[in-house]
């Protein structure tokens, strides 16, 4: 029988054999995974653990926080603060950066996260997740400031998410493909269940919040309209639509069987580039998708090439099966 490979062994082999990661990065990923196990337990308890419902506060973006948003945020902060692998953290739920206390040794990495993605699905028992991104603190940085986090996504050294669905799965890239680990609750460890995930280049499935149709820009309208015409339209085949409303769940489906996910700019708030956040939603997901052979763009530019200008910056997101993303890019170029 082939022995199962758990997350620790996978990371040790990455560090030892291929030198793909440092010991500090290995520790960081293990600590994030441990925190996700605790969040998964809280999610599973639901009403029994008194974790459902609103927290009664708003985040810096004016969104009402749920109890679980704050619980997940605290779990990630506490787990990561003392290990010596981090210089600072930043989160969707915190206004500014969180430098590691001077009581602890300072590591060379920066961790960003959306502690609980899909908050509107918490109370209705629909799949949610945690998204994370890892950057290196620039050399000779001195005191950590927000500007140190403003690095293009192409500079991420690791990214991933944990999806809390019928199974809890950790999906990870350290820049050498994408691996999926399933939480074995009896052993208490994440076991490798899929390696070298590949997104099929073509698809007949799209994922978008259709209720915003009237607000979209012409290239997005054109693309979706052609999908809806199915066999009778220019695409010559029928399309299917899936929309969970948790980015983690929608992107996970695309990694597993292909598809295209869109949360585009729309004219409700023309000055906002989109709804999703660049640093801890769009960038880590784009890194994973590219590592699995897919593509990710804001319509005009590869997402991983965008130079961020602020911590909570938003971004238009189109990602998934390569051929569909390229078609959407073409429609954007033609309409410009
Ligand atoms: P959150 O991080 O506060 O949960 O917000 C992000 C979520 C995404 O998971 C999802 O794709 C999107 O918001 C859905 O938003 P809406 O229901 O407004 O279309
Ligand atoms: Mg989110």
């Amino acid at each position: 029988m082939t022995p199962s490979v758990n997350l620790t062994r996978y990371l040790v082999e990455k560090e030892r054999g291929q030198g793909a990661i440092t010991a500090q990065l290995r520790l960081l990923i293990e600590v994030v995974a441990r925190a996700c196990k605790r969040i998964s337990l809280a999610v599973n308890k639901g009403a029994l653990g008194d974790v459902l419902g609103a927290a009664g506060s708003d985040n810096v973006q004016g969104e009402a926080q749920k109890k679980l948003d704050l619980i997940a945020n605290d779990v990630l902060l506490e787990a990561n603060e003392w290990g010596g692998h981090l210089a600072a953290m930043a989160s969707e739920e915190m206004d500014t950066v969180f430098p590691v206390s001077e009581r602890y040794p300072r590591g060379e990495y920066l961790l960003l996260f959306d502690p609980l993605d899909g908050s509107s699905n918490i109370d209705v028992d629909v799949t949610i997740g945690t998204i994370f991104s890892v950057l290196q603190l620039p050399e000779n940085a001195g005191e950590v400031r927000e500007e140190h986090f403003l690095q293009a996504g192409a500079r991420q050294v690791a990214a991933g998410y944990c999806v809390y669905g019928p199974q809890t799965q950790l999906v990870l890239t350290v820049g050498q493909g994408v691996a999926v680990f399933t939480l074995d609750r009896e052993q208490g460890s994440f076991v490798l269940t899929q390696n070298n995930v590949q997104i099929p280049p073509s698809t007949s499935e799209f994922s978008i919040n259709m209720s915003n149709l009237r607000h979209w820009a012409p290239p997005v309208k054109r693309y979706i309209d052609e999908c809806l015409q199915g066999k009778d339209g220019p695409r010559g085949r029928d399309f299917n639509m899936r929309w969970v409303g948790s980015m983690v769940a929608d992107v996970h489906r695309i990694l597993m069987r292909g598809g295209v996910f869109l949360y585009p700019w729309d004219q409700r708030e023309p000055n906002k580039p989109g709804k999703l956040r660049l640093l801890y939603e769009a960038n880590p997901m784009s890194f994973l998708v590219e590592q699995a052979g897919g593509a990710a763009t804001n319509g005009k530019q590869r997402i991983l090439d965008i130079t961020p200008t602020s911590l909570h910056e938003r971004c238009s997101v189109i990602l998934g099966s390569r051929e569909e993303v390229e078609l959407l890019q073409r429609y954007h170029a033609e309409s410009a």
Side-chain angles (χ1 to χ4, degrees), residues 58 88 129 160 164 199 211 330:
D58 286 354
Y164 312 114
I199 301 176
S211 68
R330 180 153 74 72

Side-chain angles (χ1 to χ4, degrees), residues 14 33 50-51 56 62 71 112-113 136 193 203 211 334:
K14 283 267 172 256
D50 191 25
V51 299
I71 293 168
L112 294 113
F113 44 84
Q136 219 150 4
T193 43
T203 181
S211 68
E334 283 173 14

Side-chain angles (χ1 to χ4, degrees), residues 2 9 51 67 96 137 139 171 187 226 240 264 326:
T2 334
R9 178 165 175 184
V51 299
K67 283 185 197 166
T96 55
L137 181 69
E139 269 175 46
V171 179
Q187 287 185 49
E226 290 179 358
N240 190 21
E326 283 169 1

Side-chain angles (χ1 to χ4, degrees), residues 149-191:
F149 285 83
L150 306 182
Q151 304 181 35
R155 297 177 65 176
Q156 291 171 102
V157 292
Y161 61 80
C162 189
V163 56
Y164 312 114
Q167 302 116 47
T168 289
Q169 295 193 304
L170 183 78
V171 179
L172 174 72
T173 185
V174 293
Q176 295 191 340
V178 176
V180 181
F181 302 84
T182 303
L183 180 59
D184 180 332
R185 291 195 191 275
E186 277 130 49
Q187 287 185 49
S189 65
F190 279 105
V191 179

Side-chain angles (χ1 to χ4, degrees), residues 131 159 161 247-248 251 281-290 319:
I131 311 173
Y161 61 80
M247 188 193 201
V248 165
V251 172
E281 292 177 327
N283 272 344
M285 292 310 203
S286 300
F287 190 19
L288 287 162
V289 164
E290 284 198 3
L319 57 77

Side-chain angles (χ1 to χ4, degrees), residues 59 63 69 92-93 114 116-120 209 212 243 245-248 250 261 263 268 275-277 281:
N59 67 15
E63 298 159 342
D69 287 323
E92 176 177 333
E93 305 306 337
D114 175 354
L116 216 292
D117 176 65
S119 307
S120 69
N209 184 343
N212 297 327
W243 176 255
S246 297
M247 188 193 201
V248 165
D250 285 311
F261 169 90
Y263 214 115
R268 281 171 300 175
K275 174 180 178 180
L276 299 174
R277 276 56 51 121
E281 292 177 327

